[in-house]
Amino acid sequence: SQFSLCFSNKRGYKSVCPLVAKLKRFYEFSLRLENALRSLLEALTSPPYAPMQHLEREQALAKQFAEILHFTLSFDELKMTNPAIQNDFSYYRRTISRNRLNNQQLEAENEVNNEMANRMSLFYAEATPMLKTLSNATTKFVSENKTLPIEDTTDCLSTMACVCRVMLETPEYRCRFTNTDTMLFCMRVMVGVIILYDHVHPVGAFAKTSKIDMKGCIKVLKEQPSNSVEGLLNALRYTTRHLHDDSTSKQIRALLQ
């Protein structure tokens, strides 16, 4: 009957509301991360210091940058493996549209109104929403700071990628990692800075002229158990800009197949 359908819809809607509130908090957090990332880039690229000097002088800021990248890749890995997120959110949006047509307003709408729902929808439609936010923020940072040479930003990112790769591939450093979480942290940060580099550098991370040793980075990832790195390899496959450019060597493409 119509009553039982209405009742089950209301029950479904009520069970989805706490999830939508959580999704809203993560969306708002992504906006805060965007601002934080731009402040960190400003601090880590400002003259007169070279990127390596910055990373040595401002280790706490470099660690914060690394923490943001670690969280970003962790979040996006979870999002990629949870298609229910978008299904639940679509159901929520359909319900609030229907209620608006019937001149009803449910209390959850006060928390996530139609305009906010539209913005969240665009955010969660991305395969890797947090990474997309950071890539856009980095690109925007470079385009807005025209007096700052682009190399200052790309050198900061390539230096971080190099530090992570060396730590992962050198036995004497690697043996200091007390648990697999530290290894994973290092790998996520490495992949995160590669992706940001690829978005802002004119020819990207995969070209021969790139300051990132992509072959070495991919090799280090492939040496780990596949279940812990498949998400990171997918991030390199699907969220970079220049992988399929003509300037990318066949060897590197083959490594990521």
Side-chain angles (χ1 to χ4, degrees):
S1 74
Q2 205 169 357
F3 171 77
S4 61
L5 182 67
C6 173
F7 181 70
S8 69
N9 278 346
K10 211 160 189 178
R11 228 175 21 192
Y13 178 80
K14 277 198 161 174
S15 66
V16 159
C17 284
L19 304 174
V20 170
K22 198 175 275 189
L23 292 178
K24 182 194 176 197
R25 286 200 297 278
F26 278 118
Y27 167 69
E28 288 172 336
F29 187 59
S30 79
L31 303 179
R32 285 165 56 200
L33 281 187
E34 186 178 355
N35 291 330
L37 182 85
R38 288 169 71 187
S39 302
L40 286 168
L41 283 172
E42 218 162 86
L44 293 169
T45 58
S46 56
Y49 303 109
M52 198 62 190
Q53 288 173 300
H54 266 302
L55 295 175
E56 282 167 359
R57 288 170 61 91
E58 283 117 18
Q59 288 184 21
L61 294 182
K63 178 79 170 28
Q64 277 306 309
F65 190 10
E67 291 281 4
I68 286 175
L69 290 168
H70 176 246
F71 166 78
T72 297
L73 276 112
S74 310
F75 179 90
D76 286 348
E77 272 179 47
L78 288 171
K79 192 263 172 185
M80 278 211 237
T81 53
N82 278 287
I85 287 174
Q86 272 165 289
N87 297 339
D88 288 348
F89 195 62
S90 298
Y91 172 75
Y92 173 85
R93 291 187 75 205
R94 283 196 306 275
T95 309
I96 60 173
S97 297
R98 201 165 47 235
N99 289 338
R100 252 198 343 276
L101 288 173
N102 298 334
N103 288 325
Q104 289 176 324
Q105 186 174 26
L106 295 169
E107 58 202 72
E109 248 190 285
N110 298 328
E111 182 159 6
V112 179
N113 59 26
N114 199 44
E115 189 198 339
M116 172 61 88
N118 288 338
R119 291 206 300 269
M120 286 168 62
S121 188
L122 288 171
F123 175 75
Y124 286 108
E126 295 290 343
T128 52
M130 290 283 178
L131 206 44
K132 178 77 173 165
T133 300
L134 296 196
S135 301
N136 289 348
T138 311
T139 307
K140 202 172 173 187
F141 171 80
V142 167
S143 63
E144 283 176 0
N145 290 275
K146 295 202 170 17
T147 55
L148 185 76
I150 191 168
E151 295 76 34
D152 288 19
T153 305
T154 54
D155 286 357
C156 170
L157 298 170
S158 60
T159 303
M160 285 182 75
C162 178
V163 168
C164 291
R165 176 181 56 76
V166 169
M167 283 172 74
L168 288 162
E169 70 184 9
T170 312
E172 62 183 284
Y173 293 137
R174 209 174 49 223
C175 70
R176 292 182 203 167
F177 294 160
T178 47
N179 58 35
T180 51
D181 286 353
T182 316
M183 287 273 289
L184 201 49
F185 179 89
C186 221
M187 290 190 289
R188 283 187 178 132
V189 174
M190 182 179 77
V191 169
V193 286
I194 289 170
I195 290 164
L196 296 187
Y197 181 101
D198 195 59
H199 274 261
V200 295
H201 194 283
V203 295
F206 300 95
K208 277 198 177 94
T209 51
S210 161
K211 288 192 177 175
I212 296 178
D213 172 8
M214 283 307 301
K215 221 178 286 177
C217 291
I218 296 166
K219 220 169 134 237
V220 151
L221 290 174
K222 291 203 136 187
E223 283 166 2
Q224 311 309 317
S226 62
N227 62 336
S228 66
V229 294
E230 198 50 38
L232 296 175
L233 290 168
N234 281 339
L236 290 176
R237 286 175 190 127
Y238 306 122
T239 63
T240 46
R241 285 178 66 183
H242 296 278
L243 175 61
H244 299 292
D245 289 5
D246 294 338
S247 56
T248 303
S249 75
K250 284 179 183 168
Q251 268 181 308
I252 287 176
R253 273 189 226 179
L255 277 172
L256 279 175
Q257 256 164 12

